[in-house]
Amino acid sequence: MLVVMQSHSTAEQIERVLAAIRELGLSPHPMPGPTRTAIGITGNTGMVDSRTLEVLPGVRELIRVTKPYKLASREMHEHDTVIRLPQGTFGAGAFTVIAGPCSVEDESLIFRTADWLMERGVRFLRAGAFKPRTSPYAFQGLGHEGLEILRRASERTGIGIVTELMDTENADAVEEAADIIQVGARNMQNFSLLRRLSRVRKPVLLKRGLSATLEEWLMSAEYLLSGGNYEVILCERGVRTFSDHSRNTLDLSVIPPAKVMSHLPILVDPSHGTGRRDYVPPMALATLAAGADGLLIEVHPDPDHALSDGAQTLDFARFELLLGQLEALAHPLGRTLDLRGPTSH
Ligand code: PEP
Ligand code: MN
C-alpha cells in the first residue's frame, strides 16, 4: 500500500502517519519526492482498513500496490533511484563502469589495477576476496587477507571497492572493506544473507540468479529494501539456457522490462554473461545501447595467467579500446560515460 501525502503536508503530519502505520503492526517507508512525500507500507496489509489512514490530516490518497515486489516497483516508487557515492553515480543517465580482476590474487595485482583504473577515470574496482567457485579444488580467494589488500588499495588511490559477500559470517568484515557489496548469482535467493544485508548502510549489487525470472530477482531486491536498505543495484550476468555457444545467455532483453517494472539502477556483466573475452566488447556496447546504467567487467593486466576467469577477462589494452568505443557511443545516445579524473569530460 502507498500513502500519498498532499504537497503541502507538514513534517508533523508525516510523522503522525508513520506512527499510525507502526500502530497497525506494519512498516512505513517514507519516500520524499520532488513535489510530495509518499509512504510505502509493507507487511500484511490485506486486513488494513484504508480509511484509518485516509482520514489523517495531510493525506491525499491511499493506493493499493498490486505487484508482489512492493518497494522495488514503480507503482510504489515512481522515480528512478539514484545512488550517489563519492566515486560515481548509479542512475540518473550516468553510465558507470566497475572493473577489475575476478579475484584478489595478491597486492601487486590489485595496486597495479587500481592505479591503472584511476588513471583512466574508472572509479570502482571490483575483485573478489571470497569466491564462489563451482569446484572446491579451484582457487577460493584470499578471504580476509584479500579484504585487507582491497582496503589498502582504497586508502592508496581513493578508488571505490566492490567485493562479494558469500555468507553472513563475514558480513561485518566485508561491510567495512567495501563501498558496494556484491551478492553473487548463486546467492540471489540466500534469504538470510539478504536479510543481513538489508541492515547494512552500504549499497548492494544484486546479481541475477542463474535461472531467476525478473520477478524473482525483484523479490530478492525486495528483501533488501523491506529491511531498510534502499540502495540496491541490479546486475544482469547471463542466465542458463539451452544455448551452449557461450558460458551463459546474456539477457539484455531484461533491461527494458526491468526499467518499466522497477526504479532500481541496473548494470550488466558481459564477462560472466558470455564467458569469452572476444565476446565481451560487443555485448558491453550493446549494454549501453539497451539502456542499462553501467557495466561490471573483468579486467586483468595478464588475463592468461589469472587465477580465475581468465578466458573472459580483458587486458588493459582491450579495455582501454572499449572505453573509447563506449565514450564515442554514449554521446549520440544522449548518455554520459561517468569517467572521472584525468580523462573526464
Ligand atoms: C563474479 O562476479 O566473479 C562471480 C562469481 O559472478 P556470478 O555470481 O555472477 O557468477
Ligand atoms: Mn569471475
Short mmCIF file of all heavy atoms in Angstrom, two decimals, residues 115-177:
data_model
loop_
_atom_site.label_atom_id
_atom_site.label_comp_id
_atom_site.label_asym_id
_atom_site.label_seq_id
_atom_site.Cartn_x
_atom_site.Cartn_y
_atom_site.Cartn_z
N ASP A 115 45.62 1.51 -9.76
CA ASP A 115 46.32 2.69 -10.29
C ASP A 115 45.93 2.93 -11.75
O ASP A 115 45.65 4.05 -12.16
CB ASP A 115 47.85 2.51 -10.22
CG ASP A 115 48.35 2.52 -8.77
OD1 ASP A 115 47.57 2.86 -7.87
OD2 ASP A 115 49.54 2.16 -8.55
N TRP A 116 45.88 1.85 -12.52
CA TRP A 116 45.56 1.98 -13.94
C TRP A 116 44.12 2.47 -14.13
O TRP A 116 43.85 3.35 -14.94
CB TRP A 116 45.77 0.63 -14.66
CG TRP A 116 45.68 0.77 -16.15
CD1 TRP A 116 46.69 1.04 -17.02
CD2 TRP A 116 44.48 0.67 -16.94
NE1 TRP A 116 46.20 1.12 -18.30
CE2 TRP A 116 44.86 0.90 -18.29
CE3 TRP A 116 43.13 0.41 -16.65
CZ2 TRP A 116 43.94 0.88 -19.34
CZ3 TRP A 116 42.22 0.40 -17.70
CH2 TRP A 116 42.62 0.63 -19.03
N LEU A 117 43.20 1.90 -13.37
CA LEU A 117 41.79 2.30 -13.49
C LEU A 117 41.62 3.78 -13.13
O LEU A 117 40.93 4.52 -13.84
CB LEU A 117 40.89 1.43 -12.60
CG LEU A 117 40.75 -0.05 -13.00
CD1 LEU A 117 39.96 -0.81 -11.94
CD2 LEU A 117 40.07 -0.20 -14.37
N MET A 118 42.26 4.20 -12.04
CA MET A 118 42.12 5.60 -11.62
C MET A 118 42.69 6.52 -12.69
O MET A 118 42.11 7.57 -12.99
CB MET A 118 42.85 5.82 -10.30
CG MET A 118 42.16 5.20 -9.10
SD MET A 118 40.53 5.91 -8.78
CE MET A 118 40.96 7.40 -7.90
N GLU A 119 43.79 6.12 -13.27
CA GLU A 119 44.43 6.89 -14.34
C GLU A 119 43.47 7.06 -15.52
O GLU A 119 43.37 8.11 -16.14
CB GLU A 119 45.68 6.12 -14.77
CG GLU A 119 46.51 6.74 -15.85
CD GLU A 119 47.14 8.05 -15.41
OE1 GLU A 119 47.39 8.23 -14.18
OE2 GLU A 119 47.35 8.87 -16.28
N ARG A 120 42.69 6.02 -15.79
CA ARG A 120 41.78 6.03 -16.94
C ARG A 120 40.40 6.61 -16.58
O ARG A 120 39.53 6.70 -17.42
CB ARG A 120 41.66 4.58 -17.46
CG ARG A 120 41.03 4.45 -18.83
CD ARG A 120 41.78 5.26 -19.89
NE ARG A 120 41.04 5.34 -21.16
CZ ARG A 120 40.00 6.13 -21.38
NH1 ARG A 120 39.53 6.92 -20.44
NH2 ARG A 120 39.41 6.12 -22.56
N GLY A 121 40.23 6.99 -15.29
CA GLY A 121 38.96 7.60 -14.89
C GLY A 121 37.90 6.62 -14.42
O GLY A 121 36.76 7.01 -14.15
N VAL A 122 38.26 5.33 -14.31
CA VAL A 122 37.30 4.33 -13.79
C VAL A 122 37.46 4.32 -12.27
O VAL A 122 38.54 4.06 -11.76
CB VAL A 122 37.58 2.93 -14.38
CG1 VAL A 122 36.66 1.88 -13.76
CG2 VAL A 122 37.42 2.95 -15.90
N ARG A 123 36.38 4.62 -11.56
CA ARG A 123 36.49 4.88 -10.12
C ARG A 123 35.98 3.75 -9.23
O ARG A 123 35.83 3.93 -8.02
CB ARG A 123 35.74 6.17 -9.78
CG ARG A 123 36.38 7.40 -10.37
CD ARG A 123 37.75 7.59 -9.75
NE ARG A 123 38.53 8.59 -10.41
CZ ARG A 123 38.90 9.75 -9.84
NH1 ARG A 123 38.49 10.06 -8.65
NH2 ARG A 123 39.68 10.58 -10.50
N PHE A 124 35.70 2.60 -9.83
CA PHE A 124 35.28 1.46 -9.00
C PHE A 124 36.08 0.22 -9.39
O PHE A 124 36.11 -0.15 -10.56
CB PHE A 124 33.78 1.17 -9.16
CG PHE A 124 32.91 2.23 -8.57
CD1 PHE A 124 32.37 3.23 -9.37
CD2 PHE A 124 32.64 2.25 -7.20
CE1 PHE A 124 31.58 4.22 -8.83
CE2 PHE A 124 31.85 3.24 -6.65
CZ PHE A 124 31.31 4.23 -7.46
N LEU A 125 36.70 -0.38 -8.38
CA LEU A 125 37.47 -1.62 -8.58
C LEU A 125 36.65 -2.78 -8.01
O LEU A 125 36.23 -2.75 -6.85
CB LEU A 125 38.79 -1.53 -7.82
CG LEU A 125 39.58 -2.84 -7.68
CD1 LEU A 125 40.26 -3.19 -9.00
CD2 LEU A 125 40.63 -2.72 -6.59
N ARG A 126 36.42 -3.80 -8.84
CA ARG A 126 35.71 -4.99 -8.35
C ARG A 126 36.69 -6.16 -8.36
O ARG A 126 37.31 -6.46 -9.37
CB ARG A 126 34.52 -5.28 -9.25
CG ARG A 126 33.39 -6.10 -8.62
CD ARG A 126 33.78 -7.49 -8.24
NE ARG A 126 34.43 -8.20 -9.32
CZ ARG A 126 33.94 -9.24 -9.96
NH1 ARG A 126 32.78 -9.70 -9.63
NH2 ARG A 126 34.63 -9.84 -10.91
N ALA A 127 36.83 -6.81 -7.23
CA ALA A 127 37.65 -8.02 -7.14
C ALA A 127 37.13 -8.83 -5.96
O ALA A 127 36.77 -8.26 -4.93
CB ALA A 127 39.12 -7.67 -6.94
N GLY A 128 37.09 -10.13 -6.12
CA GLY A 128 36.54 -10.97 -5.06
C GLY A 128 37.62 -11.47 -4.10
O GLY A 128 38.64 -12.01 -4.53
N ALA A 129 37.36 -11.27 -2.80
CA ALA A 129 38.23 -11.87 -1.78
C ALA A 129 37.66 -13.25 -1.41
O ALA A 129 38.40 -14.19 -1.12
CB ALA A 129 38.27 -10.97 -0.56
N PHE A 130 36.36 -13.34 -1.42
CA PHE A 130 35.67 -14.63 -1.20
C PHE A 130 35.05 -15.02 -2.54
O PHE A 130 34.26 -14.27 -3.10
CB PHE A 130 34.56 -14.47 -0.15
CG PHE A 130 35.08 -14.07 1.20
CD1 PHE A 130 35.06 -12.73 1.60
CD2 PHE A 130 35.61 -15.01 2.07
CE1 PHE A 130 35.55 -12.34 2.84
CE2 PHE A 130 36.10 -14.63 3.33
CZ PHE A 130 36.07 -13.30 3.71
N LYS A 131 35.43 -16.18 -3.05
CA LYS A 131 34.99 -16.56 -4.40
C LYS A 131 34.08 -17.78 -4.38
O LYS A 131 34.47 -18.83 -3.85
CB LYS A 131 36.21 -16.92 -5.27
CG LYS A 131 37.14 -15.78 -5.59
CD LYS A 131 36.48 -14.58 -6.28
CE LYS A 131 35.71 -14.90 -7.53
NZ LYS A 131 35.05 -13.66 -8.07
N PRO A 132 32.90 -17.68 -4.96
CA PRO A 132 32.04 -18.87 -5.10
C PRO A 132 32.50 -19.65 -6.34
O PRO A 132 32.25 -19.23 -7.45
CB PRO A 132 30.66 -18.25 -5.33
CG PRO A 132 30.93 -16.91 -5.96
CD PRO A 132 32.32 -16.49 -5.58
N ARG A 133 33.18 -20.74 -6.17
CA ARG A 133 33.69 -21.50 -7.31
C ARG A 133 32.93 -22.81 -7.45
O ARG A 133 32.60 -23.45 -6.45
CB ARG A 133 35.19 -21.80 -7.13
CG ARG A 133 36.08 -20.58 -6.91
CD ARG A 133 35.93 -19.52 -7.99
NE ARG A 133 36.23 -20.01 -9.33
CZ ARG A 133 37.46 -20.20 -9.83
NH1 ARG A 133 38.52 -19.89 -9.09
NH2 ARG A 133 37.63 -20.66 -11.05
N THR A 134 32.69 -23.20 -8.67
CA THR A 134 31.94 -24.44 -8.92
C THR A 134 32.69 -25.64 -8.34
O THR A 134 32.07 -26.56 -7.80
CB THR A 134 31.72 -24.59 -10.44
OG1 THR A 134 31.06 -23.41 -10.90
CG2 THR A 134 30.87 -25.81 -10.76
N SER A 135 34.01 -25.62 -8.45
CA SER A 135 34.80 -26.74 -7.92
C SER A 135 35.43 -26.37 -6.58
O SER A 135 36.03 -25.29 -6.45
CB SER A 135 35.91 -27.09 -8.90
OG SER A 135 36.87 -27.90 -8.26
N PRO A 136 35.37 -27.25 -5.60
CA PRO A 136 36.03 -26.97 -4.32
C PRO A 136 37.55 -26.98 -4.43
O PRO A 136 38.25 -26.55 -3.52
CB PRO A 136 35.55 -28.11 -3.41
CG PRO A 136 35.17 -29.21 -4.33
CD PRO A 136 34.70 -28.55 -5.59
N TYR A 137 38.07 -27.49 -5.56
CA TYR A 137 39.52 -27.56 -5.74
C TYR A 137 40.07 -26.30 -6.41
O TYR A 137 41.27 -26.10 -6.49
CB TYR A 137 39.90 -28.79 -6.57
CG TYR A 137 39.28 -30.05 -6.01
CD1 TYR A 137 38.38 -30.79 -6.75
CD2 TYR A 137 39.57 -30.44 -4.70
CE1 TYR A 137 37.78 -31.92 -6.22
CE2 TYR A 137 38.97 -31.56 -4.15
CZ TYR A 137 38.07 -32.31 -4.92
OH TYR A 137 37.48 -33.40 -4.37
N ALA A 138 39.16 -25.46 -6.96
CA ALA A 138 39.61 -24.23 -7.63
C ALA A 138 39.98 -23.18 -6.58
O ALA A 138 39.55 -23.25 -5.42
CB ALA A 138 38.48 -23.72 -8.54
N PHE A 139 40.73 -22.16 -6.99
CA PHE A 139 41.15 -21.06 -6.10
C PHE A 139 39.93 -20.41 -5.45
O PHE A 139 39.02 -19.95 -6.15
CB PHE A 139 41.94 -20.04 -6.94
CG PHE A 139 42.36 -18.82 -6.18
CD1 PHE A 139 43.17 -18.92 -5.05
CD2 PHE A 139 41.98 -17.55 -6.61
CE1 PHE A 139 43.58 -17.77 -4.36
CE2 PHE A 139 42.38 -16.40 -5.93
CZ PHE A 139 43.17 -16.52 -4.80
N GLN A 140 39.92 -20.37 -4.14
CA GLN A 140 38.73 -19.91 -3.41
C GLN A 140 38.83 -18.45 -2.96
O GLN A 140 37.91 -17.95 -2.31
CB GLN A 140 38.52 -20.79 -2.17
CG GLN A 140 38.42 -22.29 -2.45
CD GLN A 140 37.09 -22.70 -3.09
OE1 GLN A 140 36.03 -22.37 -2.58
NE2 GLN A 140 37.16 -23.39 -4.23
N GLY A 141 39.93 -17.80 -3.31
CA GLY A 141 40.11 -16.40 -2.89
C GLY A 141 40.94 -16.32 -1.62
O GLY A 141 41.12 -17.32 -0.92
N LEU A 142 41.43 -15.10 -1.34
CA LEU A 142 42.32 -14.94 -0.18
C LEU A 142 41.56 -14.62 1.10
O LEU A 142 42.16 -14.43 2.15
CB LEU A 142 43.33 -13.82 -0.46
CG LEU A 142 44.31 -14.02 -1.61
CD1 LEU A 142 45.23 -12.80 -1.72
CD2 LEU A 142 45.15 -15.28 -1.41
N GLY A 143 40.25 -14.50 1.02
CA GLY A 143 39.45 -14.24 2.24
C GLY A 143 39.83 -12.92 2.89
O GLY A 143 39.98 -11.90 2.22
N HIS A 144 40.04 -12.97 4.20
CA HIS A 144 40.29 -11.72 4.95
C HIS A 144 41.55 -10.99 4.50
O HIS A 144 41.59 -9.76 4.49
CB HIS A 144 40.32 -12.02 6.46
CG HIS A 144 38.96 -12.37 6.96
ND1 HIS A 144 38.06 -11.43 7.39
CD2 HIS A 144 38.33 -13.56 7.04
CE1 HIS A 144 36.92 -12.02 7.73
NE2 HIS A 144 37.06 -13.32 7.52
N GLU A 145 42.54 -11.76 4.11
CA GLU A 145 43.76 -11.12 3.59
C GLU A 145 43.43 -10.33 2.31
O GLU A 145 43.94 -9.22 2.09
CB GLU A 145 44.79 -12.22 3.28
CG GLU A 145 46.16 -11.69 2.97
CD GLU A 145 47.06 -12.78 2.36
OE1 GLU A 145 46.82 -13.98 2.58
OE2 GLU A 145 47.99 -12.38 1.61
N GLY A 146 42.55 -10.87 1.50
CA GLY A 146 42.10 -10.19 0.28
C GLY A 146 41.38 -8.88 0.62
O GLY A 146 41.58 -7.85 -0.04
N LEU A 147 40.56 -8.91 1.65
CA LEU A 147 39.85 -7.68 2.06
C LEU A 147 40.85 -6.62 2.50
O LEU A 147 40.69 -5.42 2.20
CB LEU A 147 38.89 -7.97 3.22
CG LEU A 147 37.69 -8.88 2.93
CD1 LEU A 147 36.83 -9.02 4.20
CD2 LEU A 147 36.84 -8.33 1.78
N GLU A 148 41.88 -7.06 3.21
CA GLU A 148 42.93 -6.16 3.69
C GLU A 148 43.63 -5.48 2.50
O GLU A 148 43.88 -4.27 2.50
CB GLU A 148 43.93 -7.01 4.51
CG GLU A 148 44.65 -6.34 5.63
CD GLU A 148 43.98 -5.13 6.23
OE1 GLU A 148 42.92 -5.22 6.90
OE2 GLU A 148 44.52 -4.03 5.99
N ILE A 149 43.91 -6.27 1.48
CA ILE A 149 44.56 -5.72 0.27
C ILE A 149 43.64 -4.69 -0.39
O ILE A 149 44.08 -3.61 -0.80
CB ILE A 149 44.91 -6.87 -0.72
CG1 ILE A 149 46.01 -7.75 -0.11
CG2 ILE A 149 45.31 -6.33 -2.09
CD1 ILE A 149 46.32 -9.03 -0.90
N LEU A 150 42.35 -5.00 -0.47
CA LEU A 150 41.40 -4.05 -1.08
C LEU A 150 41.34 -2.76 -0.27
O LEU A 150 41.29 -1.66 -0.82
CB LEU A 150 40.01 -4.69 -1.17
CG LEU A 150 39.88 -5.83 -2.19
CD1 LEU A 150 38.52 -6.52 -2.05
CD2 LEU A 150 40.07 -5.33 -3.62
N ARG A 151 41.37 -2.92 1.04
CA ARG A 151 41.33 -1.74 1.90
C ARG A 151 42.56 -0.84 1.65
O ARG A 151 42.45 0.37 1.54
CB ARG A 151 41.30 -2.19 3.37
CG ARG A 151 40.69 -1.15 4.30
CD ARG A 151 40.97 -1.43 5.74
NE ARG A 151 40.98 -2.84 6.08
CZ ARG A 151 39.97 -3.48 6.66
NH1 ARG A 151 38.86 -2.85 6.93
NH2 ARG A 151 40.08 -4.75 6.98
N ARG A 152 43.71 -1.49 1.50
CA ARG A 152 44.94 -0.70 1.24
C ARG A 152 44.87 -0.02 -0.13
O ARG A 152 45.32 1.10 -0.29
CB ARG A 152 46.18 -1.60 1.36
CG ARG A 152 46.50 -1.97 2.82
CD ARG A 152 47.95 -2.40 2.99
NE ARG A 152 48.20 -3.69 2.35
CZ ARG A 152 48.07 -4.87 2.96
NH1 ARG A 152 47.70 -4.93 4.22
NH2 ARG A 152 48.33 -5.99 2.31
N ALA A 153 44.28 -0.71 -1.12
CA ALA A 153 44.17 -0.11 -2.46
C ALA A 153 43.27 1.12 -2.40
O ALA A 153 43.52 2.14 -3.07
CB ALA A 153 43.61 -1.12 -3.45
N SER A 154 42.23 1.03 -1.60
CA SER A 154 41.31 2.16 -1.48
C SER A 154 41.99 3.33 -0.77
O SER A 154 41.87 4.49 -1.17
CB SER A 154 40.04 1.69 -0.79
OG SER A 154 39.58 2.60 0.14
N GLU A 155 42.76 3.03 0.28
CA GLU A 155 43.49 4.08 1.01
C GLU A 155 44.50 4.76 0.09
O GLU A 155 44.67 5.97 0.11
CB GLU A 155 44.27 3.46 2.16
CG GLU A 155 43.51 3.47 3.47
CD GLU A 155 44.20 2.61 4.50
OE1 GLU A 155 45.45 2.43 4.43
OE2 GLU A 155 43.47 2.09 5.36
N ARG A 156 45.14 3.97 -0.74
CA ARG A 156 46.20 4.46 -1.61
C ARG A 156 45.68 5.34 -2.75
O ARG A 156 46.29 6.35 -3.09
CB ARG A 156 46.88 3.21 -2.16
CG ARG A 156 47.98 3.36 -3.15
CD ARG A 156 48.31 1.94 -3.63
NE ARG A 156 48.93 1.95 -4.94
CZ ARG A 156 50.23 1.85 -5.15
NH1 ARG A 156 51.04 1.71 -4.13
NH2 ARG A 156 50.70 1.86 -6.37
N THR A 157 44.49 4.98 -3.30
CA THR A 157 44.04 5.66 -4.52
C THR A 157 42.69 6.36 -4.37
O THR A 157 42.35 7.17 -5.22
CB THR A 157 43.87 4.63 -5.66
OG1 THR A 157 42.87 3.68 -5.25
CG2 THR A 157 45.15 3.90 -5.99
N GLY A 158 41.92 6.00 -3.36
CA GLY A 158 40.56 6.54 -3.23
C GLY A 158 39.55 5.80 -4.10
O GLY A 158 38.38 6.19 -4.19
N ILE A 159 39.97 4.74 -4.76
CA ILE A 159 39.06 4.00 -5.64
C ILE A 159 37.95 3.34 -4.82
O ILE A 159 38.16 2.94 -3.66
CB ILE A 159 39.86 2.96 -6.48
CG1 ILE A 159 39.09 2.59 -7.75
CG2 ILE A 159 40.22 1.70 -5.66
CD1 ILE A 159 39.95 1.94 -8.84
N GLY A 160 36.75 3.26 -5.38
CA GLY A 160 35.63 2.60 -4.70
C GLY A 160 35.80 1.09 -4.80
O GLY A 160 36.15 0.57 -5.86
N ILE A 161 35.55 0.39 -3.71
CA ILE A 161 35.75 -1.06 -3.68
C ILE A 161 34.41 -1.78 -3.77
O ILE A 161 33.49 -1.51 -3.00
CB ILE A 161 36.47 -1.48 -2.37
CG1 ILE A 161 37.86 -0.80 -2.27
CG2 ILE A 161 36.57 -3.01 -2.25
CD1 ILE A 161 38.87 -1.22 -3.31
N VAL A 162 34.34 -2.72 -4.71
CA VAL A 162 33.17 -3.58 -4.85
C VAL A 162 33.66 -5.00 -4.64
O VAL A 162 34.60 -5.45 -5.30
CB VAL A 162 32.55 -3.46 -6.26
CG1 VAL A 162 31.26 -4.28 -6.35
CG2 VAL A 162 32.29 -1.99 -6.62
N THR A 163 33.07 -5.72 -3.69
CA THR A 163 33.54 -7.08 -3.44
C THR A 163 32.38 -7.93 -2.90
O THR A 163 31.42 -7.41 -2.36
CB THR A 163 34.78 -7.08 -2.52
OG1 THR A 163 35.44 -8.35 -2.62
CG2 THR A 163 34.44 -6.82 -1.06
N GLU A 164 32.51 -9.23 -3.11
CA GLU A 164 31.38 -10.13 -2.82
C GLU A 164 31.35 -10.59 -1.37
O GLU A 164 32.38 -10.93 -0.77
CB GLU A 164 31.47 -11.35 -3.75
CG GLU A 164 30.38 -12.36 -3.49
CD GLU A 164 30.12 -13.35 -4.62
OE1 GLU A 164 30.71 -13.18 -5.72
OE2 GLU A 164 29.33 -14.28 -4.40
N LEU A 165 30.15 -10.65 -0.83
CA LEU A 165 29.90 -11.29 0.46
C LEU A 165 29.17 -12.60 0.17
O LEU A 165 28.12 -12.61 -0.48
CB LEU A 165 29.03 -10.39 1.34
CG LEU A 165 28.60 -11.03 2.67
CD1 LEU A 165 29.80 -11.27 3.59
CD2 LEU A 165 27.56 -10.17 3.38
N MET A 166 29.75 -13.72 0.65
CA MET A 166 29.14 -15.02 0.36
C MET A 166 28.28 -15.55 1.51
O MET A 166 27.42 -16.39 1.30
CB MET A 166 30.21 -16.05 0.04
CG MET A 166 30.75 -15.93 -1.38
SD MET A 166 32.12 -17.05 -1.67
CE MET A 166 31.40 -18.63 -1.29
N ASP A 167 28.58 -15.11 2.72
CA ASP A 167 27.86 -15.67 3.88
C ASP A 167 27.73 -14.64 4.99
O ASP A 167 28.53 -13.70 5.05
CB ASP A 167 28.57 -16.93 4.40
CG ASP A 167 30.07 -16.70 4.43
OD1 ASP A 167 30.49 -15.66 4.97
OD2 ASP A 167 30.82 -17.52 3.88
N THR A 168 26.77 -14.85 5.85
CA THR A 168 26.51 -13.86 6.91
C THR A 168 27.71 -13.74 7.87
O THR A 168 27.95 -12.68 8.42
CB THR A 168 25.26 -14.24 7.72
OG1 THR A 168 25.40 -15.59 8.14
CG2 THR A 168 24.00 -14.12 6.88
N GLU A 169 28.42 -14.85 8.00
CA GLU A 169 29.58 -14.90 8.91
C GLU A 169 30.58 -13.76 8.67
O GLU A 169 31.16 -13.23 9.61
CB GLU A 169 30.29 -16.21 8.57
CG GLU A 169 31.08 -16.89 9.65
CD GLU A 169 31.64 -18.17 9.02
OE1 GLU A 169 30.85 -18.98 8.49
OE2 GLU A 169 32.85 -18.31 9.03
N ASN A 170 30.82 -13.43 7.39
CA ASN A 170 31.83 -12.42 7.07
C ASN A 170 31.24 -11.04 6.78
O ASN A 170 31.92 -10.18 6.22
CB ASN A 170 32.66 -12.90 5.88
CG ASN A 170 33.49 -14.12 6.25
OD1 ASN A 170 34.27 -14.08 7.20
ND2 ASN A 170 33.28 -15.22 5.55
N ALA A 171 29.97 -10.86 7.16
CA ALA A 171 29.28 -9.61 6.80
C ALA A 171 29.98 -8.37 7.36
O ALA A 171 30.16 -7.38 6.64
CB ALA A 171 27.83 -9.67 7.25
N ASP A 172 30.38 -8.41 8.62
CA ASP A 172 30.98 -7.21 9.22
C ASP A 172 32.26 -6.84 8.49
O ASP A 172 32.50 -5.68 8.17
CB ASP A 172 31.28 -7.43 10.71
CG ASP A 172 29.99 -7.50 11.52
OD1 ASP A 172 28.97 -6.98 11.03
OD2 ASP A 172 30.01 -8.09 12.62
N ALA A 173 33.09 -7.85 8.22
CA ALA A 173 34.39 -7.59 7.58
C ALA A 173 34.20 -7.04 6.16
O ALA A 173 34.87 -6.08 5.77
CB ALA A 173 35.22 -8.87 7.56
N VAL A 174 33.27 -7.62 5.41
CA VAL A 174 33.06 -7.15 4.03
C VAL A 174 32.42 -5.76 4.05
O VAL A 174 32.79 -4.89 3.26
CB VAL A 174 32.21 -8.17 3.22
CG1 VAL A 174 31.79 -7.59 1.87
CG2 VAL A 174 33.00 -9.46 3.01
N GLU A 175 31.52 -5.55 4.98
CA GLU A 175 30.88 -4.23 5.06
C GLU A 175 31.93 -3.14 5.31
O GLU A 175 31.86 -2.05 4.73
CB GLU A 175 29.83 -4.21 6.18
CG GLU A 175 29.09 -2.89 6.23
CD GLU A 175 28.05 -2.79 7.34
OE1 GLU A 175 27.87 -3.77 8.08
OE2 GLU A 175 27.44 -1.72 7.45
N GLU A 176 32.91 -3.46 6.14
CA GLU A 176 33.94 -2.47 6.44
C GLU A 176 34.84 -2.21 5.24
O GLU A 176 35.22 -1.07 4.98
CB GLU A 176 34.77 -3.00 7.61
CG GLU A 176 35.27 -1.91 8.50
CD GLU A 176 36.31 -2.45 9.45
OE1 GLU A 176 36.02 -3.50 10.08
OE2 GLU A 176 37.40 -1.84 9.51
N ALA A 177 35.16 -3.25 4.49
CA ALA A 177 36.13 -3.09 3.39
C ALA A 177 35.49 -2.54 2.11
O ALA A 177 36.18 -1.94 1.29
CB ALA A 177 36.80 -4.43 3.09
#
